[in-house]
Amino acid sequence: MDDIDQLCQRIPELSTCKDSIRNCSELLIRAFQSGNKLLLCGNGGSAADCEHISGELIKRFSKPRTLSSELSDKLGPELSSNLHGSLPALPLPSMIGFQTAFANDDKPEFAFAQQVIAFGKPGDILLGISTSGNSQNIVHATKTAKAIGLKTIILTGKSGGSLAPLCDLVIQAPASETPRVQEFHLPIYHAICTVVEATLFPES
């Protein structure tokens, strides 16, 4: 039984999105293996989730991530013993200087899309988090990402909202009320991070 099966056993309601959780994990694994990165966007509590996911991927999460011997030799013992294998995950809401400048000078609902223009490359992934599935700034970012050649994922609630038909992959938490959707989102993305880490750092 893998981590996703264990998740659904622990929280049976999430069995409805088991396949999409697994597909998301596999999509991220392929992207990271190909040298691509993950961009994350969301508002409010979902912006905090972007930070949370990014943190789990940039540093070790549930297991050690030993650096390659080649890199360890170049870094020396002090650095190599205190650093981890890392995965590139960029939380777009965290760029406060950019976000406030864009909101002051332009229409704020296009800020995430502007960041996708700046950072997105074909093969990268944009993960949007929206409990309603209707956040306009994420809609614009998703459309921009698809135009550039990114894969798009939405982590959302039961209805899927207007983002569901736009995205390559939809993870729909089985709830409609914002607090309940957010309660489901955390164990979903923790399971995804665990699977990604275990696959990409098997020897650590």
Side-chain angles (χ1 to χ4, degrees):
M1 182 181 296
D2 66 14
D3 291 285
I4 297 172
D5 289 328
Q6 290 176 24
L7 169 68
C8 294
Q9 185 179 69
R10 191 170 67 252
I11 309 174
E13 300 100 311
L14 292 180
S15 296
T16 59
C17 49
K18 179 179 177 179
D19 289 343
S20 58
I21 295 171
R22 191 177 303 283
N23 290 339
C24 178
S25 303
E26 294 172 355
L27 192 62
L28 287 171
I29 289 165
R30 290 196 297 271
F32 289 136
Q33 286 175 330
S34 299
N36 292 105
K37 62 184 172 296
L38 173 65
L39 308 179
L40 302 108
C41 59
N43 303 295
S46 297
D49 286 330
C50 292
E51 283 274 10
H52 194 161
I53 295 168
S54 178
E56 310 296 28
L57 295 173
I58 292 173
K59 65 177 290 295
R60 67 184 179 195
F61 174 38
S62 60
K63 59 177 293 186
R65 300 183 190 176
T66 306
L67 299 175
S68 69
S69 57
E70 180 182 1
L71 180 55
S72 294
D73 290 342
K74 291 179 179 178
L75 291 171
E78 182 181 16
L79 284 170
S80 62
S81 63
N82 286 284
L83 298 176
H84 315 280
S86 189
L87 299 169
L90 187 62
L92 301 182
S94 304
M95 297 183 180
I96 302 302
F98 162 77
Q99 290 287 345
T100 54
F102 198 92
N104 188 58
D105 299 336
D106 299 280
K107 294 181 179 179
E109 63 267 29
F110 294 95
F112 289 149
Q114 182 64 53
Q115 289 171 295
V116 171
I117 291 285
F119 300 113
K121 303 295 181 187
D124 289 346
I125 295 176
L126 177 71
L127 171 59
I129 307 175
S130 171
T131 58
S132 68
N134 295 313
S135 304
Q136 279 304 298
N137 53 355
I138 300 179
V139 169
H140 295 317
T142 298
K143 290 179 177 179
T144 304
K146 292 182 75 68
I148 293 173
L150 281 73
K151 293 291 185 181
T152 55
I153 303 169
I154 185 66
L155 177 58
T156 185
K158 188 175 182 178
S159 75
S162 59
L163 277 157
L166 295 177
C167 291
D168 297 305
L169 180 61
V170 183
I171 305 175
Q172 293 168 264
S176 300
E177 303 80 11
T178 295
R180 185 64 171 149
V181 175
Q182 291 175 328
E183 289 171 9
F184 281 131
H185 280 180
L186 189 148
I188 287 172
Y189 65 68
H190 264 177
I192 291 169
C193 290
T194 301
V195 170
V196 170
E197 181 179 62
T199 303
L200 295 179
F201 299 95
E203 303 302 325
S204 298

